Amino acid sequence: MRRRCGGPAALLLLLLLGPLLGPPGCLLAAKVNKHKPWIETSYHGIITENNDTVILDPPLVALDKDAPVPFAGEICAFKIHGQEMPFEAVVLNKTSGEGRLRAKSPIDCELQKEYTFIIQAYDCGSGPSGVNWKKSHKAVVHIQVKDVNEFSPAFKESMYKATVTEGKIYDSILQVEAIDEDCSPQYSQICNYEIVTTDVPFAIDRNGNIRNTEKLNYDKQHQYEIMVTAFDCGQKHAREDVLVQVNVKPVCKPGWQDWNKRIEYKPGSGSIPLFPSIHLETCDGPVSSTHTTIELQTNYIGKGCDRETYSEKSLQKLCGASSGAIDLLPSPSATTNWTAGLLMDNNDMIFKFDGKQGAKIPDGIVPKNLTDQFTISLWMKHGPSPGLRAEKETILCNSDKTEMNRHHYALYVHNCRLVFLLRKDFDQADTFRPAEFHWKLDQICDKEWHYYVVNVEFPVVTLYMDGSTYEPYLVTNDWPIHPSHIAMQLTVGACWQGGEVTKPRFAQYFHGSLASLTIRPGKIESQKVISCLQACKEGLDINSLESLGQGVKYHFNPSQSVLVMEGDDIENINRALRKVSYINSRQFPTAGVRRLKVSSKVQCFGEDVCINIPDIDAYVMVLQANEPKITISGMDHFARPAAQFESERGVILLPDIRIASTVTKMEHSKKNDGANKPVVLEEMLHNLDFCDVLVSGAELDPEQECLELDRTELQGKHLDATNSTAGYSIYGVDTMHNYEQVLQQIRYRNWYTSATFERKFRVKCSELNGHYTSNEFNLEVNILHSTNSNYMDHVNHVIVQPHFLQSVHHPEESISTVHNSVVPRVATVVIAICVSVLISIIAVGVYRIRTAQQHSSTDNESSKENEMDWDDSALTITVNPMEKYEKPHRAEEESEEEDDEEEDTTSAESDESEEEEDEEEEEEATVQKRGKQNFTRQEQLEWDDSTLPY
């Protein structure tokens, strides 16, 4: 219990008697805890982030004047005043008053760098219960958070780009900048940058400015890529380096930009743009107009560009020219052998004359006397004449063969002039007439290919060169030639000098190349046909002409190898040039390079030419077309009765012929080995230019056999045909389907079949004048002969075996005698053998065989012509029971012959012969069932006529 104290008198008594009374009572309590604790007025502290200890200056100590009195002189607490301060103060020693300030949770400098709050000290009061405690004055505590270098620098941008002009040294190309999330100046500041990439002509300072250390060259390198890192002041480097891309721009030079030097062209691609991204750089020049020329240079390809390489006859047909043109420079063959000794490029039908060669055209190829209308056409490539004194160089010459040396007509080159000579024969009027026509053209000696056509409508002669008309600059007259009986000689590449020399020889040799030299008597060529014959299959083109706009003018030359474009607005010219394309319509174009040249001129306001635009030199690379494999297939063997061959229509040779073409491409393998494998693709469609059906072996005997074709089959097609004893030739540029249709109508006739047992033919087709050829398809045709009208004799003849019959050879004129004398004797012997063996055979097949005989008359021969194979549905096979089953081919062949002879059986046979025939038919019907198990209709009929008695 608390003591109760008296009034003021008692208090005074206690104060006076206190030391004498022992333990304090109410008076002692009044003297305890008189003073407040004391602390400093302000404190400064430091705490490291992520740590809980605060270092204070001065240290946290509270003093109390009541000490050493217990409780009153002791310090029990420090209290912090502030909202949600992350600190707390603890008393370490109550007596000394020492305390400590610490963090209640981790401190993050990046969240708050410093803290300020109020702190007070509290004593322990007047007793153990803490009553009457006193608090000190308020002191201010200021705490700073010490940073830790926990963050790395990071760049503000993921990549930096800059463009510089070549040939300059820059103080600063661009500046990179990195930041650090640390809170202190030491760790948050970037103290250094560094280029990580080695061997680059760049440097960087501590502020991130990048400069070049040497002059950059656009031609050497268009672009540089360098990696840069940053360091903070604590030497911690960036967590990721940054990419800096420096583009080098050339010094502004006027010219075309963004075009490729090589443009690849795949056959069949149609029209492809040449410069899809091109634009003209004028370096801000005041341009008022632009004039641009695009030239496709193809002079070294074929005859000056990619033209069709079909034969001249095929091209004439393709272009709709009138018939009658005579090719004076055909491919060498058995019938056109006068070009065999000339130098020749087979692929393009080009003949090269070196000044030492000439060719004689055989008599009868060209009419001796040309009419007042005719045409001479040719391709020519010619350079300046060799030697100081240029001599005449003969292209075509018709001169006296002997005695005299008169030139009746000739076409030659002299001093880079083209001269046409035409001497008319003497007639009623002995007057001067135009005789020499001269043209002076630069193209005659420019060493390039040009197409020349001389149209003669006497006395007017017109020259077409590359489709354009040229009148002669000089025409000289001469007297007509007096008639004589001297033969004339037509030559090419030189002129024949038959008279006025000791030994006839060639003279006035040509130096250059010629191709497609033709002469057309009686007609002149139209300009439309001339343009078609010399047309290029490749050239320049413009896609979307309507989108060029009104501000662009353009012009093509006739061959579309040169395009000129003009415009006032540069952007319009840019768009127009992006639409210029290359096109090659040939399915199998000539592979190789086509050079391109683009030249431009610009005009500025008030000046003629203000900017020099360099030319573009590029090229189109035409890739090699996939080579087609042309395959001819069909029935390669058949046999027909002789009567069908002797009929008016004969036998169709190739009823089921099939022409197909495939290509093989190299396809990239899907495996990782990178290998290529060939893949045969589907059939491709293209044209053919000739197919030959030739006789194998001896040529056809026109007295007894021929090949025929109804000419109406050629109507509506670009095809023509020629026939000879060597075979049939179909020519002209047309589809494989049309060729199949015509070939399927060729018939073989033989009106004297007794001398022929078989004929062999071969078929071969071509594309591009023999550049691509098919396989050689071989066909064997067998003629089945009837030896006698008596069917039984026929059967006996078939079953006779080689072991029992010696081969009999007779001259051709005695065939009928052999048939009459040998067959009956042999038939008698064989009949006896057959009757003894087949006596038990039932006459099951009699009715069927007799019915078959009635239907197999000559009335249905025309239907048999269209059959692909021999119809053996009613065929019977008779086998000699004494023969071993050794030769299935011969058995089938003899049975087919047997059926043919059966058709010739007449109603005039005797009753005895009919009975014998019935027995044979019964045997054949039985054997047929066994024979069909071993024979197929596809087996070839290989005749061995050494045992046949005819």
Side-chain angles (χ1 to χ4, degrees), residues 59-103:
L60 181 61
V61 177
L63 299 177
D64 197 320
K65 290 182 179 181
D66 294 326
V69 178
F71 303 112
E74 296 177 346
I75 303 300
C76 276
F78 294 97
K79 290 188 177 181
I80 295 174
H81 300 281
Q83 294 182 352
E84 298 180 359
M85 286 295 166
F87 297 99
E88 65 180 357
V90 297
V91 178
L92 299 179
N93 190 320
K94 293 183 179 182
T95 304
S96 62
E98 182 181 358
R100 176 179 295 173
L101 191 64
R102 64 186 181 186

Side-chain angles (χ1 to χ4, degrees), residues 321-341:
S322 54
S323 60
I326 303 168
D327 191 358
L328 301 182
L329 286 177
S331 296
S333 66
T335 56
T336 58
N337 57 0
W338 64 86
T339 59

Side-chain angles (χ1 to χ4, degrees), residues 251-454:
V251 176
C252 187
K253 299 176 182 178
W256 294 101
Q257 305 291 332
D258 297 335
W259 53 273
N260 294 323
K261 188 175 183 66
R262 173 188 171 103
I263 303 104
E264 286 192 353
Y265 183 83
K266 185 178 180 181
S269 299
S271 179
I272 64 167
L274 295 172
F275 310 109
S277 304
I278 198 169
H279 70 277
L280 181 62
E281 176 64 63
T282 60
C283 297
D284 299 327
V287 175
S288 61
S289 65
T290 305
H291 182 280
T292 301
T293 302
I294 306 100
E295 182 181 0
L296 179 68
Q297 299 173 349
T298 59
N299 297 335
Y300 46 89
I301 302 296
K303 301 186 188 77
C305 72
D306 220 355
R307 294 181 167 92
E308 295 291 8
T309 56
Y310 296 113
S311 67
E312 187 62 25
K313 283 187 177 180
S314 297
L315 288 175
Q316 297 273 347
K317 188 84 173 178
L318 199 62
C319 289
S322 54
S323 60
I326 303 168
D327 191 358
L328 301 182
L329 286 177
S331 296
S333 66
T335 56
T336 58
N337 57 0
W338 64 86
T339 59
L342 301 178
L343 298 176
M344 180 183 176
D345 182 351
N346 289 322
N347 289 338
D348 294 322
M349 295 292 295
I350 294 172
F351 291 85
K352 299 179 180 180
F353 294 87
D354 56 2
K356 301 177 182 178
Q357 293 176 312
K360 293 182 179 180
I361 308 299
D363 296 338
I365 299 297
V366 179
K368 292 182 179 180
N369 296 317
L370 296 176
T371 62
D372 287 345
Q373 283 191 341
F374 62 93
T375 298
I376 299 174
S377 61
L378 71 150
W379 283 94
M380 183 176 72
K381 180 180 181 182
H382 182 265
S385 303
L388 297 176
R389 294 184 60 187
E391 295 184 354
K392 294 179 180 179
E393 297 181 56
T394 299
I395 300 171
L396 179 67
C397 180
N398 188 32
S399 59
D400 291 333
K401 184 177 291 188
T402 58
E403 299 181 23
M404 302 180 71
N405 194 29
R406 299 175 301 175
H407 294 185
H408 297 263
Y409 63 87
L411 183 66
Y412 60 90
V413 174
H414 190 210
N415 289 325
C416 292
R417 290 166 173 80
L418 186 66
V419 182
F420 176 65
L421 170 69
L422 179 60
R423 300 289 303 279
K424 300 295 288 185
D425 289 339
F426 181 85
D427 56 9
Q428 305 293 338
D430 189 6
T431 60
F432 258 15
R433 296 184 181 183
E436 284 190 0
F437 303 82
H438 299 250
W439 293 272
K440 185 178 181 181
L441 302 171
D442 294 336
Q443 291 88 342
I444 294 172
C445 288
D446 66 357
K447 297 182 180 179
E448 304 291 350
W449 280 104
H450 299 283
Y451 187 56
Y452 300 87
V453 177
V454 178

